[in-house]
Amino acid sequence: MPISAQDIPMTAPAPHQIEDDHLARQRLRLWLQMLKATRHVEASLRERLREGYGTTLPRFDVLATLHSRPQGMRMSELSQHLVVSNGNVTGLVDRLVAEGLAERETLQSDRRAFVVRITDKGRALMDEMTASHLAWIDELLGNVTEPDIARGISIMLDIRHGG
């Protein structure tokens, strides 16, 4: 008699064996510090975008993505790129279109699909916000030396590609 999926007991995967408890705890400390640093920078950027431009970080992210793709993107591509749901992107794009910062065009090949593009007004705003964003990041990370930046990038790549 063949075995079905129902016959296989559901168990959690075996836990990773910790070889060095001290090193494992140091890795946990690194993760927590990375998380705190990310939250600190993100909170500062959110506040500066709100105060300086009356906008949000998600709106900035959508405009930055469209700014980098002047030919435009399908809504599905935009949501995949931003790693958010189509519904979240639709609301943001609706507001950007209403403000004249983006435009939506129906595709000839599929009347249900849209391409979203940044407008000249949106591009001008993004040029200004991008310059501010660069200066803010430079200020927030100003105490990090160039060798530490290189090592930090290397560590982040190790984490992303090694796990």
Side-chain angles (χ1 to χ4, degrees), residues 59-163:
R59 285 168 50 96
F60 177 86
D61 290 343
V62 170
L63 282 172
T65 301
L66 295 175
H67 190 270
S68 70
R69 301 276 294 273
Q71 74 277 13
M73 300 175 80
R74 295 180 107 173
M75 292 289 284
S76 57
E77 291 174 306
L78 184 57
S79 64
Q80 283 177 339
H81 180 83
L82 297 169
V83 193
V84 297
S85 72
N86 283 339
N88 286 345
V89 170
T90 299
L92 288 168
V93 168
D94 286 347
R95 288 187 291 283
L96 294 172
V97 168
E99 294 171 28
L101 301 172
E103 60 189 7
R104 204 182 280 141
E105 180 182 324
T106 305
L107 287 174
Q108 297 286 339
S109 59
D110 183 355
R111 292 281 184 204
R112 297 167 297 161
F114 296 96
V115 171
V116 182
R117 285 185 202 84
I118 194 166
T119 61
D120 289 342
K121 179 180 175 182
R123 182 166 305 287
L125 176 62
M126 230 12 245
D127 288 343
E128 184 181 330
M129 285 196 301
T130 301
S132 294
H133 183 267
L134 178 62
W136 297 335
I137 294 294
D138 187 55
E139 176 189 339
L140 290 165
L141 304 183
N143 62 340
V144 182
T145 65
E146 190 168 355
D148 286 344
I149 290 168
R151 181 67 187 132
I153 290 169
S154 178
I155 290 167
M156 297 305 118
L157 289 171
D158 289 348
I159 292 168
R160 287 181 48 215
H161 298 269

Side-chain angles (χ1 to χ4, degrees), residues 8 21-22 81 120:
I8 300 171
D21 189 62
H22 174 74
H81 180 83
D120 289 342

